Amino acid sequence: MAPRRTGLPRRQRLIGLWLLLSGISLFGGAVFAAWLDSQLAPEGLARLMLWLGCLSGGTTIFLVGLLLERQLFSPLRHLQVQLARMVANPDAREDYPPEGWLRGLGPDLVTIRDAWRCDRGALATAHAEGARSAARIRQELEALLQVLDTPLLLCDHHRRLLLYNQAAETLFDTQPGFGLGKRLETLLPAASLRDVLAHLPADGSPREVLVPSDHRWLRVMLRRVPASDGETLLTLTDTTAAWTSELGARAKLLDTLPELRRHTASLTTATDALTSLSYTGDSAAMRKRLEQVVGDESHALGLSIERLGTLLELMQHEGERLVPLWSNDLWAALDERTGDTACRVQPVGMPAWFKGDAIALISLLAALLERLGEHTGQAMLEGELCLGNKRVYLDLIWTGKPVSERQLAEWQQLSLQDLPLAPRLVDVLRQHASELWSLADPDGQRARLRLPLPATQRVGAPQPRTPPRPEFHDFGIAELPAPDAHLAACPLRALEVVAFDTETTGLELRRGDTVISIGACRIVNARLLASETFDMFVDPARPIPPASTAIHGLTDDDVAGAPPLAVALPRFCDYIGDAVILAHNAAFDLLALQPPGVNVTLNMPVLDTLLISRALDASLDGHDLDTLADRYGLTFPPGTRHTALGDARVTAELWLSLLPRLEARGIETLEQALALQASALDKQDAFAS
C-alpha cells in the first residue's frame, strides 16, 4: 500500500497554462475593444472589424493550441507509449497507431515492427535445433532432479548455487536464504567446508566433511567437476540418526562389555576357588564368602545382561532403515509384489503413517499372505491400519477363525530368501520391536493377524510431487561478476534483485500505521524465479481499520498469531542476502519496514520503478503500478492486486520490461540506474501509487 502523491502532472500544468494564456488574451482583447469602441464610436462593418481584431489574438492562441494538441502533441504521446512498448516487447499490442500529423509515419512504423519481428523470427529459426536439443536435455535434467532422493547442490568457484534438486529444497525448507545464486555459507556455515572447497582435487576425487545445519549433522561429499571453471558438486546425507545411534545405544553397549567381562572374570575366579576348597576348618568360612561373591556377581551379571538386551532393542528401534511410510504406498507396493498370486490385500479404513523398513515389511507381508492364503483358502484379504497410543497396528483380516499360536510360531521361523542374509520373520519383527498375534473380531465372524509397528508424528497425506520447474538450475550464474565485485559497476542484468512490497494498516506511518504483510520474489541473471518467494503476515499489534481491509482484504483474523515486525524483518533480511532491493514507490515501503524501535536496517541499494519510469518518460502521465502494468502489457492474476506478493511479482516483471529501455538509453550499470532515478526525485505525479 502506497500513498497518492499530490500535485498536477506536467501535461495538465501545460494545458492549464495554455487555457490561462487564452483566457487572458481574450479578456484583454475584449477590454481593449470596449475602450476603443467608446473612444471611436465606429458603426457597422468598422465596429465588427474592431472587435474581431481585438479578440483575434486570444482566439488564435486557443485555436492553435487546440490544433497542436489534437494533431501533434496527443499523437506524439501515443507514439511514445507505443515505442516504449515495442522496446520492452516487440510483440506488444498496437493500441496507438500514428494519427494526426504523424499519420504518415504509420507505414514506416509497421515496416520497422515487421522487420524487427522478421529478424527475431529468423534468429529463432536459426537457433531452433539447438534450442530443441537444449530443451530436451533440460527436461531430462529437471526430471532427474525431481526423482533423485539424495540432496545435491552445484556451486561455482564463488560458492554461488547453480543447481539444486527437490530433495535439497526439502532439506533446507526452513532456510530463507536458500535459492539459486545464494552463497553456500548461508546454508552450511562451517569453516572446515570452506577449507575443503579451497583444496579439492581437480580430477573429481571426493572429499568428505561433517558440518552442522540447524539441529542436524550433515555428511557432505564434495567433488570438483572435471574440466569446469571451478564448479563443485555436493551431495548431502543427514547423519543425525546414525550419530545418535553411534554415540547413544551403541556407545552404551560398548560401555557394558567391560562390566560383563569383569563380572565373568570374578565368577570364574570364585568358581575355581570353590572347587579347590575342602570342607574342613577355616575352609567353611572361605566357602561362604566365595558363595556370597558368586551370588553378588551372578546378580550383577544378570542386571548387565538385562541392560544389554534393552540396549539391543533400542538399537533396533534406532535402525537407520526405519523411515516414515505411508500405508497406501505400502499396500500399493505389496500389490505390485504379489501380482496375480492366490492371495491379495484390499486396503480398508483410513490411511496412516508409521515407521518401518519398507523392503523388509513387504517381504514379510508377502510371506504371511502366502501362508494365510493356504490357511484360509481365501483369495482376497482386507488390510487395515489402526492407530494406538504409541503404536500403529497393521491388520490382515479374513472371514473365519484366528490362527493358532503354534501355527504363528512356525511361521515366524520361516526364512525370507529374497532379503540379504535370509533373515527369519521373527528377525524382521525384532527389527521393528514387534510381534505377531491373531485375534477374533467382536462379531465372531472374522479374524485378523495383527502386527504392531512404531508410530511417527507425521500427519496428513503425503504432499504431491512438485512438477518440474526451471528454477532448479541456472548455469548462467557462474558467468556473473564475483559477489564481492564493486556493486556500483555491476551490469543491471547481472544483479541479484529482490522485488518486494508491503501492505499496512494505513498510510499514516508516522502516526502509528504499520506493516501487516511482506511479499517478495527474486530476480537472478535477469530471470524471475517464480517459486523462490517470501510471503509473510506480520502482527501489527493494533486493529486493522475497515477502510484498509477494503483495499487489501486483510483482517485481524488473517494476522492473528503472525510474528511481530521485529521477528519478521530479520527473516526478510536473510531472504534478501546480498541482493539489491526493488519496489514501486520504495520510500513508502522502506519507511514501513523501519519504524522506530526496530534495530534492523535495510542499507542495500534500492531501485524504484516509479522513479525510473518517471525519468524515462517524463512527458507521459501516470506512473502508478496499474497504469504501468497496462502500458507494458502486464497483468495481475485474479485476487493478487493489493497483495504484497502479487504487487511484488508485477513490480519484478515491470523491472524486466524497463531493462531494455534503460539499455537503449545507455543505462547499463547500477550506478547509472541510481543516478537516473535520483533525477526524478523532485518530479510530482498525481497518480503514483
Side-chain angles (χ1 to χ4, degrees):
M1 179 183 293
R4 288 185 177 272
R5 301 216 176 227
T6 59
L8 293 174
R10 173 178 294 183
R11 175 170 173 265
Q12 294 185 18
R13 293 200 301 269
L14 291 176
I15 291 176
L17 179 61
W18 162 55
L19 293 176
L20 179 63
L21 290 176
S22 301
I24 292 175
S25 298
L26 288 172
F27 179 75
V31 171
F32 184 61
W35 179 77
L36 289 178
D37 191 22
S38 65
Q39 294 295 320
L40 302 177
E43 295 181 358
L45 182 61
R47 187 179 187 187
L48 178 62
M49 296 302 295
L50 173 67
W51 279 90
L52 288 176
C54 292
L55 297 177
S56 62
T59 304
T60 301
I61 293 176
F62 178 79
L63 292 177
V64 168
L66 183 62
L67 180 65
L68 290 175
E69 169 65 20
R70 294 288 182 87
Q71 298 297 317
L72 181 61
F73 296 146
S74 182
L76 279 174
R77 285 194 302 274
H78 293 166
L79 179 63
Q80 184 178 1
V81 171
Q82 195 62 38
L83 289 175
R85 284 181 175 175
M86 288 179 59
V87 172
N89 178 16
D91 297 321
R93 63 183 188 272
E94 303 177 32
D95 290 344
Y96 300 108
E99 54 190 12
W101 293 343
L102 304 182
R103 191 182 305 274
L105 295 177
D108 296 331
L109 190 62
V110 171
T111 301
I112 292 174
R113 180 189 293 274
D114 292 343
W116 198 340
R117 290 176 176 173
C118 182
D119 291 342
R120 292 174 69 245
L123 287 173
T125 303
H127 292 88
E129 290 299 324
R132 190 178 300 112
S133 176
R136 179 179 56 80
I137 295 173
R138 185 185 71 249
Q139 291 172 357
E140 293 177 354
L141 175 62
E142 290 170 355
L144 176 63
L145 293 176
Q146 284 285 115
V147 302
L148 189 62
D149 291 331
T150 301
L152 60 87
L153 308 171
L154 181 68
C155 64
D156 65 1
H157 62 286
H158 295 302
R159 300 190 295 278
R160 294 177 299 201
L161 290 187
L162 308 179
L163 173 148
Y164 61 86
N165 65 344
Q166 189 172 4
E169 188 178 30
T170 303
L171 182 65
F172 296 109
D173 59 351
T174 60
Q175 293 275 9
F178 179 74
L180 291 177
K182 291 292 187 178
R183 298 291 292 272
L184 195 60
E185 289 86 342
T186 62
L187 305 176
L188 306 171
S192 56
L193 184 64
R194 292 192 292 271
D195 294 339
V196 173
L197 280 169
H199 299 92
L200 275 179
D203 61 357
S205 300
R207 295 290 185 271
E208 286 191 36
V209 63
L210 195 67
V211 298
S213 176
D214 293 334
H215 303 295
R216 300 168 297 194
W217 282 94
L218 302 179
R219 186 183 301 277
V220 183
M221 182 79 71
L222 303 98
R223 291 180 175 86
R224 186 79 73 203
V225 178
S228 70
D229 188 18
E231 296 169 0
T232 304
L233 180 67
L234 297 85
T235 55
L236 305 100
T237 307
D238 188 350
T239 61
T240 307
W243 276 79
T244 301
S245 178
E246 292 284 351
L247 301 180
R250 296 183 187 181
K252 293 178 181 178
L253 177 61
L254 294 175
D255 292 340
T256 304
L257 292 178
E259 295 182 12
L260 292 175
R261 294 191 183 100
R262 184 171 62 253
H263 296 318
T264 303
S266 298
L267 282 174
T268 302
T269 302
T271 303
D272 292 341
L274 279 173
T275 57
S276 63
L277 287 176
S278 60
Y279 290 90
T280 60
D282 297 336
S283 299
M286 179 60 72
R287 177 179 292 277
K288 185 175 182 180
R289 287 197 297 273
L290 290 174
E291 289 175 349
Q292 180 66 34
V293 171
V294 170
D296 292 343
E297 293 297 329
S298 298
H299 179 69
L301 183 61
L303 293 177
S304 296
I305 292 175
E306 184 177 350
R307 287 199 303 273
L308 179 62
T310 302
L311 290 172
L312 288 173
E313 291 179 1
L314 182 60
M315 287 177 61
Q316 292 284 45
H317 296 174
E318 294 177 346
E320 295 181 41
R321 294 192 301 272
L322 299 188
V323 297
L325 300 175
W326 181 242
S327 60
N328 283 352
D329 293 339
L330 179 73
W331 296 129
L334 181 63
D335 184 66
E336 294 172 1
R337 168 69 179 270
T338 55
D340 296 327
T341 57
C343 190
R344 303 181 68 179
V345 174
Q346 174 64 46
V348 297
M350 295 296 295
W353 288 97
F354 61 93
K355 291 184 69 175
D357 180 347
I359 297 176
L361 280 179
I362 291 172
S363 180
L364 179 145
L365 291 173
L368 289 176
L369 281 176
E370 182 180 353
R371 300 306 183 279
L372 285 172
E374 297 173 355
H375 179 78
T376 63
Q378 299 175 22
M380 182 67 71
L381 307 184
E382 292 182 350
E384 184 179 15
L385 264 290
C386 303
L387 300 180
N389 291 331
K390 296 183 179 181
R391 309 285 280 176
V392 173
Y393 299 101
L394 188 153
D395 293 346
L396 298 176
I397 309 168
W398 64 90
T399 302
K401 301 296 183 182
V403 180
S404 66
E405 290 294 331
R406 179 179 177 182
Q407 187 69 65
L408 287 178
E410 292 179 3
W411 289 356
Q412 292 184 56
Q413 299 305 314
L414 295 173
S415 295
L416 303 174
Q417 298 296 330
D418 55 338
L419 294 180
L421 304 179
R424 299 169 299 169
L425 265 71
V426 68
D427 297 325
V428 176
L429 293 173
R430 192 178 295 118
Q431 176 193 4
H432 293 79
S434 183
E435 55 184 331
L436 279 178
W437 71 83
S438 185
L439 67 160
D441 281 2
D443 60 8
Q445 302 296 318
R446 301 193 304 174
R448 61 183 64 207
L449 186 64
R450 172 157 288 181
L451 173 64
L453 295 169
T456 181
Q457 295 181 350
R458 292 186 64 174
V459 295
Q463 294 296 322
R465 284 265 185 188
T466 304
R469 55 183 177 84
E471 287 80 3
F472 276 146
H473 61 86
D474 187 346
F475 297 114
I477 294 173
E479 301 174 3
L480 299 180
D484 53 357
H486 188 45
L487 197 58
C490 188
L492 293 178
R493 289 189 176 273
L495 288 176
E496 179 186 357
V497 179
V498 169
F500 78 100
D501 186 66
T502 62
E503 298 300 329
T504 60
T505 57
L507 303 179
E508 301 293 335
L509 298 179
R510 301 188 188 278
R511 298 183 180 179
D513 282 323
T514 185
V515 174
I516 55 176
S517 176
I518 306 173
C521 52
R522 297 177 60 233
I523 298 173
V524 176
N525 205 19
R527 186 165 64 117
L528 176 59
L529 303 183
S531 299
E532 293 185 8
T533 60
F534 182 92
D535 192 13
M536 179 179 289
F537 287 142
V538 179
D539 184 1
R542 59 173 293 178
I544 301 176
S548 297
T549 298
I551 297 175
H552 48 56
L554 297 180
T555 65
D556 294 331
D557 292 339
D558 293 323
V559 299
L565 184 59
V567 174
L569 191 54
R571 298 182 187 175
F572 181 50
C573 290
D574 290 338
Y575 176 81
I576 295 174
D578 299 325
V580 173
I581 57 177
L582 170 77
H584 192 78
N585 195 13
F588 179 85
D589 296 294
L590 290 175
L591 182 61
L593 289 178
Q594 299 182 98
V598 176
N599 297 322
V600 179
T601 303
L602 300 174
N603 53 9
M604 63 286 294
V606 181
L607 292 168
D608 190 334
T609 50
L610 168 63
L611 298 178
I612 293 174
S613 177
R614 276 191 191 151
L616 288 174
D617 298 312
S619 61
L620 293 181
D621 299 342
H623 299 280
D624 61 288
L625 196 55
D626 290 302
T627 300
L628 292 178
D630 180 71
R631 184 173 298 165
Y632 290 100
L634 310 176
T635 58
F636 293 89
T640 62
R641 180 61 172 121
H642 292 301
T643 65
L645 182 57
D647 288 357
R649 285 184 189 274
V650 174
T651 301
E653 294 172 356
L654 176 59
W655 165 253
L656 295 177
S657 296
L658 291 172
L659 263 180
R661 301 203 58 210
L662 289 169
E663 293 169 344
R665 298 282 185 92
I667 309 298
E668 297 182 348
T669 66
L670 176 61
E671 183 178 24
Q672 293 171 328
L674 294 175
L676 177 70
Q677 77 176 23
S679 68
L681 279 173
D682 59 344
K683 296 183 172 69
Q684 298 293 318
D685 189 336
F687 304 102
S689 64

